[in-house]
Amino acid sequence: MELRNLPGLLLFSVLILGSTLLSTSEKPVGYEVYEGKEQITTNTPVRITPLRHPEKVDSVLALMTLEEKVGQLNLLSSGFAETGPTLSEEYREMIGEAKLGGVFNAHTVEHTLDLQRIAVEETRLGIPLLFAFDVIHGHRTIFPVPLAEASTWDPDLIKKASRIAAKESAAAGLHWTFTPMLDVSPDPRWGRIVESSGEDPLLNKRFGVARIEGFQGDDLYELDTIMATAKHFAAYGAAEAGRDYNTVDISERTLREIHLPAFKAAVDADVRTFMTAFNEYDGVPATGSDYLFNKILRDDWGFDGFVITDYTAIMEMIPHGYARDEAHAGELALNANVDMDMMSNIFLNELPGLVESGRVSEEQVDMAVSRILDMKFELGLFDDPYRYSDYDREAETIMRQDFLDFALEVAEKSIVLLKNENNLLPLSDSAKNIAIIGPLGDNQYDVMGSWSAAGESSDNVSLLAGLRNAVPEGTNIQFSEGVPLSLDDHSADGIDEAVNLAAESDVVILALGEGRHMSGEAASRTTLNLPGAQQDLLEAVHATGTPVVMVLMAGRPLDINWANENVGAIVNAFYLGTRTGDAIASVLYGNHNPSGKLTFSWPYTVGQIPNVYYQKKTGRPIDPDQRYTSKFIDAPNDPLFPFGYGLSYTSFDYSNLTLSETEISRDGHLTISVDVTNSGDFAGHEIVQLYTRKMVASVTQPVRLLRDFEKIFLEPGETKTVEFTLNASQLTYLDQQLNPVLEPGIVKVFVGPNVSETMENELEIIQ
Ligand code: NOJ
């Protein structure tokens, strides 16, 4: 009888007999690196990590040839066609030859069933494939981009959005998403800031965990949960000059204090996979980094899932100048305990020879295969390889009405109101003639932002369509594009028409910003200007004298100083996904009172970057009257809008900042409370933020660090007391030897609506 014809469970109960359990003790395995005549021997022990289904995994492993094993370590991509994903003939043959462990960019029940059948029916062992996709902010129902979602400061909300994305993607045959991106992003020139939760380590951590919990749920065996991926390990967001894939050269202190905490939290949240970063850290490409993967991830943190490389990242160690050739690259990656190769085909082609020559051990290969098989068991694929691919479930689940309703709620809560002079917003019903002007005014494509998975433009509500649905009866809305949405097309032919429309309207909604591919991967910029001729359009429309509400859509902060000085209102909408127009209309008409706050410092000018809020004070703090102090002579030090900033249609007053203790020991804690009153006319949410600063320490400390936050809802006139519990352990920092420490001394405590407008108090850490 052929094994492939056995139903999964039965197969494995048979296979379990006689299987060899992997050793659980660490065993050093030598391998050799030859550089010319010089021979360096590196003893890299295999990191034996615990398996969740050890007997089952070993029973399969025992049957596999080395070629079949390395096939499991290979991940290739489906292509895109008008009709949906397709797989090339070459890759289909590879599945049949057991040369793939999974396929990414593979989704839809039809496509996944098709590929899974090849794996199950045409290979000797019938080991099922994993199907993966970049479901970053929604599968078909598209939620706001991650940077926008983070502006809600509401991780529970985003956990629910991730649950929905998991339900949809799992119903489309998927087992695995390459999210969350946990790269702290201090530099908005870097296009991938849009995929992050901004510049702050705590927010990246909280949102990362929320996304992992949302996608993975409580039990990966459930049919509406899929594996998450913590990416990109590590420090990818620190690319020099914000140029994507560029060198990272930061101190180990910065690595550990700023870039690693979210990844550590991901391990603690039981994320099942990690992805390597493209960049090097301290001269070593991440994908071959013994330090990052063996030392930190496996030894120190005990990560027991599997590690996938980023796209061709093993091969890229050659142009990095780190690996001599493909075999060497494969050796370095596998010995760093990187388990799966995305798109390089190097593990597949090189590992058999490397095992034969002893440069990698078969035990190391076995460990990598085991980790991947373990997850296939965890997902139930050996019980039924087709269990995720069910036509009925797909039809019932994709774009459910409750998902669309929730996408609207998230979109509304992601919007950040940056300016609202003389209460121009919310719009009054007396504005009978409304002009929507700008290249993003009637756009259904770009509003999805970077990574739109299975999103389709035709599903998305444009700003024009959303406003048409929302305006009071008798309102006349007209649209003029004005200028194209392009970085290099400066055509201004449409400006006259737009100006005429503005001149005869009561108010202009001016929708400006970037196209969706101007941020995201490989979309770094050296200026943050409004692309193309949009600044000309802005100035021309403003010159008509008609009040202007600028709605900005972009994946990063743009240079909007001119607009900030001249237009009446600025609404930062990022990319809001499927319900874009409905959400913006709801805010413009006051049906939703905006509450989003920035999770990055909005630069005044690109030359300030990096300008994160958690700076040091320096020995010559800025003094406008003293030349020789730390400042620019042609621009302020401060950002245009500080971290944590965002307006509401109401106002909030802070009072009574109180500390339950003024002295705490290093293992103590205290309660910090503050009264917040809604002193305006609208009910609304406020995000109350807690920062601290250790005034003197053996290693200088940032002027502020976010320690906690709480989002509250207040009716007009209502006051709530917000309480934060602060444990002294939250205040530790790394000493000169990089050990966690909390030295005695004064800690200032700041509470407020953003990092720059805070009340303060202080406490003392005692022995
Ligand atoms: C490259 C990107 O860096 C990564 O984030 C993504 O998951 C992979 N491509 C797969 O699409």
Side-chain angles (χ1 to χ4, degrees):
M1 182 193 288
E2 287 188 20
L3 284 172
R4 68 174 188 237
N5 295 330
L6 279 174
L9 265 181
L10 176 61
L11 168 70
F12 290 105
S13 42
V14 172
L15 298 180
I16 279 164
L17 299 169
S19 66
T20 331
L21 281 178
L22 281 178
S23 146
T24 47
S25 61
E26 264 193 6
K27 210 159 122 197
V29 173
Y31 75 100
E32 294 167 338
V33 177
Y34 297 96
E35 189 64 77
K37 287 204 175 105
E38 189 191 1
Q39 177 179 320
I40 310 154
T41 302
T42 352
N43 287 314
T44 304
V46 181
R47 266 56 183 186
I48 305 290
T49 48
L51 298 173
R52 290 155 207 251
H53 310 275
E55 291 85 9
K56 291 179 181 179
V57 167
D58 288 350
S59 68
V60 182
L61 197 64
L63 297 173
M64 295 174 82
T65 63
L66 181 58
E67 279 65 30
E68 284 165 338
K69 288 175 185 171
V70 300
Q72 283 301 305
L73 311 186
N74 202 25
L75 185 80
L76 295 177
S77 170
S78 285
F80 296 96
E82 278 291 299
T83 47
T86 55
L87 199 70
S88 68
E89 215 28 65
E90 183 194 348
Y91 289 3
R92 292 174 75 85
E93 281 169 18
M94 287 175 75
I95 298 177
E97 292 161 3
K99 290 181 172 166
L100 286 185
V103 180
F104 72 109
N105 290 327
H107 62 103
T108 75
V109 165
E110 187 183 354
H111 186 57
T112 52
L113 276 180
D114 177 29
L115 304 187
Q116 197 68 296
R117 267 197 198 106
I118 310 177
V120 173
E121 292 179 12
E122 293 182 20
T123 65
R124 187 176 76 92
L125 295 176
I127 298 176
L129 295 166
L130 284 173
F131 295 118
F133 198 23
D134 286 279
V135 178
I136 306 296
H137 52 107
H139 177 70
R140 173 80 181 268
T141 302
I142 301 298
F143 288 89
V145 290
L147 190 62
E149 289 185 328
S151 308
T152 64
W153 293 58
D154 190 344
D156 286 342
L157 190 82
I158 303 314
K159 180 174 167 180
K160 283 188 204 152
S162 303
R163 284 289 317 118
I164 290 174
K167 284 178 200 287
E168 279 196 344
S169 47
L174 287 158
H175 314 127
W176 182 17
T177 175
F178 300 141
T179 205
M181 188 184 98
L182 301 175
D183 302 307
V184 170
S185 304
D187 191 333
R189 292 172 299 182
W190 191 51
R192 303 197 79 167
I193 185 175
V194 66
E195 297 173 54
S196 78
S197 299
E199 72 187 31
D200 178 67
L202 181 74
L203 288 174
N204 272 278
K205 185 164 139 178
R206 296 247 178 115
F207 280 100
V209 169
R211 292 191 168 101
I212 291 164
E213 291 175 350
F215 276 101
Q216 295 192 161
D218 296 329
D219 183 358
L220 264 189
Y221 195 83
E222 294 295 324
L223 283 173
D224 63 356
T225 58
I226 65 174
M227 294 192 293
T229 305
K231 72 182 188 186
H232 307 84
F233 199 59
Y236 183 35
E240 283 182 353
R243 176 155 59 80
D244 208 2
Y245 319 123
N246 203 6
T247 306
V248 166
D249 191 4
I250 55 172
S251 68
E252 179 157 4
R253 176 178 306 285
T254 301
L255 175 78
R256 288 183 175 274
E257 290 187 338
I258 305 297
H259 295 273
L260 293 191
F263 288 98
K264 170 68 167 66
V267 173
D268 295 342
D270 205 12
V271 71
R272 298 305 205 284
T273 74
F274 256 64
M275 187 184 289
T276 70
F278 286 122
N279 55 281
E280 66 169 61
Y281 169 69
D282 200 18
V284 178
T287 304
S289 173
D290 178 65
Y291 184 61
L292 290 176
F293 286 96
N294 283 330
K295 165 85 175 70
I296 296 179
L297 187 63
R298 302 287 188 190
D299 295 351
D300 295 350
W301 297 351
F303 175 64
D304 61 4
F306 73 84
V307 175
I308 171 81
T309 73
D310 205 343
Y311 201 106
T312 62
I314 299 185
M315 178 282 291
E316 291 173 27
M317 287 196 278
I318 302 171
H320 265 293
Y322 188 65
R324 290 186 303 276
D325 52 25
E326 296 206 339
H328 190 204
E331 172 186 353
L332 291 164
L334 193 80
N335 283 327
N337 267 275
V338 167
D339 304 299
M340 198 177 215
D341 172 356
M342 185 194 293
M343 293 305 288
S344 287
N345 275 318
I346 287 182
F347 278 176
L348 181 79
N349 296 332
E350 302 295 342
L351 287 183
L354 288 168
V355 170
E356 199 174 324
S357 64
R359 282 162 64 182
V360 302
S361 68
E362 187 156 357
E363 198 184 4
Q364 184 72 64
V365 174
D366 286 354
M367 193 66 247
V369 178
S370 300
R371 290 180 185 130
I372 292 164
L373 293 178
D374 202 31
M375 287 304 125
K376 292 185 176 182
F377 277 106
E378 187 83 346
L379 290 155
L381 297 180
F382 282 105
D383 292 344
D384 174 2
Y386 307 108
R387 62 197 296 270
Y388 280 74
S389 305
D390 172 331
Y391 283 109
D392 289 343
R393 191 170 52 245
E394 183 178 44
E396 285 158 16
T397 310
I398 303 285
M399 292 196 85
R400 262 169 39 185
Q401 187 56 47
D402 56 325
F403 296 173
L404 292 169
D405 294 345
F406 195 68
L408 172 61
E409 184 183 338
V410 179
E412 289 171 341
K413 290 181 171 169
S414 298
I415 292 172
V416 184
L417 179 64
L418 295 175
K419 179 176 181 188
N420 192 19
E421 203 171 62
N422 301 324
N423 297 329
L424 176 55
L425 292 175
L427 292 175
S428 121
D429 288 0
S430 62
K432 291 293 176 208
N433 293 301
I434 297 184
I436 299 194
I437 293 176
L440 285 148
D442 189 20
N443 183 305
Q444 291 177 282
Y445 172 72
D446 293 280
V447 296
M448 288 188 285
S450 175
W451 299 114
S452 54
E456 291 185 11
S457 296
S458 56
D459 297 336
N460 305 325
V461 183
S462 74
L463 174 55
L464 178 62
L467 266 181
R468 282 211 165 114
N469 292 335
V471 291
E473 217 170 297
T475 311
N476 170 35
I477 302 188
Q478 290 190 68
F479 168 68
S480 174
E481 187 177 42
V483 298
L485 187 58
S486 165
L487 275 175
D488 38 42
D489 182 347
H490 292 261
S491 329
D493 302 350
I495 293 186
D496 285 351
E497 180 197 285
V499 164
N500 291 339
L501 175 60
E504 66 196 27
S505 302
D506 299 325
V507 65
V508 175
I509 313 295
L510 189 57
L512 303 181
E514 293 183 325
R516 57 183 284 203
H517 298 300
M518 295 178 200
S519 63
E521 188 180 348
S524 300
R525 295 188 61 193
T526 60
T527 82
L528 300 178
N529 299 346
L530 288 165
Q534 293 186 57
Q535 184 67 30
D536 298 337
L537 176 68
L538 164 66
E539 293 182 22
V541 167
H542 171 259
T544 63
T546 304
V548 173
V549 175
M550 181 162 112
V551 174
L552 202 61
M553 298 188 205
R556 54 156 69 85
L558 296 179
D559 185 340
I560 54 166
N561 287 309
W562 192 93
N564 189 44
E565 275 164 28
N566 292 285
V567 306
I570 305 177
V571 174
N572 190 51
F574 301 98
Y575 301 115
L576 297 174
T578 311
R579 302 297 303 272
T580 292
D582 297 323
I584 298 173
S586 163
V587 162
L588 294 183
Y589 273 96
N591 299 325
H592 178 84
N593 184 358
S595 59
K597 301 215 182 199
L598 301 175
T599 62
F600 50 85
S601 307
W602 191 296
Y604 179 88
T605 163
V606 76
Q608 292 178 322
I609 297 170
N611 198 24
V612 292
Y613 82 86
Y614 43 88
Q615 299 179 7
K616 302 290 185 72
K617 194 146 189 168
T618 83
R620 293 188 174 195
I622 182 171
D623 179 342
D625 302 325
Q626 296 293 328
R627 178 170 183 116
Y628 296 98
T629 60
S630 182
K631 63 180 188 297
F632 298 105
I633 58 171
D634 59 354
N637 277 15
D638 287 339
L640 182 63
F641 302 113
F643 177 85
Y645 174 86
L647 300 173
S648 163
Y649 293 152
T650 193
S651 49
F652 298 101
D653 295 340
Y654 285 65
S655 59
N656 295 331
L657 175 60
T658 313
L659 275 47
S660 64
E661 323 285 328
T662 48
E663 290 185 350
I664 54 169
S665 59
R666 277 178 281 193
D667 55 1
H669 66 274
L670 80 161
T671 305
I672 298 163
S673 59
V674 68
D675 293 341
V676 184
T677 303
N678 182 343
S679 51
D681 298 331
F682 288 79
H685 286 95
E686 170 65 331
I687 298 160
V688 183
Q689 302 160 36
L690 169 70
Y691 300 85
T692 63
R693 177 179 177 204
K694 181 78 175 33
M695 299 307 289
V696 177
S698 58
V699 172
T700 60
Q701 293 300 302
V703 289
R704 300 273 192 284
L705 267 180
L706 181 70
R707 297 302 187 182
D708 208 349
F709 52 90
E710 194 168 324
K711 192 167 179 176
I712 53 169
F713 182 79
L714 292 175
E715 296 291 344
E718 189 183 354
T719 298
K720 271 188 186 154
T721 302
V722 174
E723 286 189 352
F724 297 104
T725 302
L726 186 70
N727 293 311
S729 59
Q730 284 170 261
L731 302 174
T732 53
Y733 41 86
L734 300 180
D735 68 11
Q736 293 181 13
Q737 285 71 44
L738 299 179
N739 298 314
V741 69
L742 180 56
E743 295 148 325
I746 301 294
V747 173
K748 281 208 172 169
V749 171
F750 310 88
V751 177
N754 62 64
V755 74
S756 295
E757 296 175 70
T758 48
M759 303 180 72
E760 62 179 80
N761 208 325
E762 65 181 45
L763 63 102
E764 188 172 357
I765 304 293
I766 50 170
Q767 284 296 350

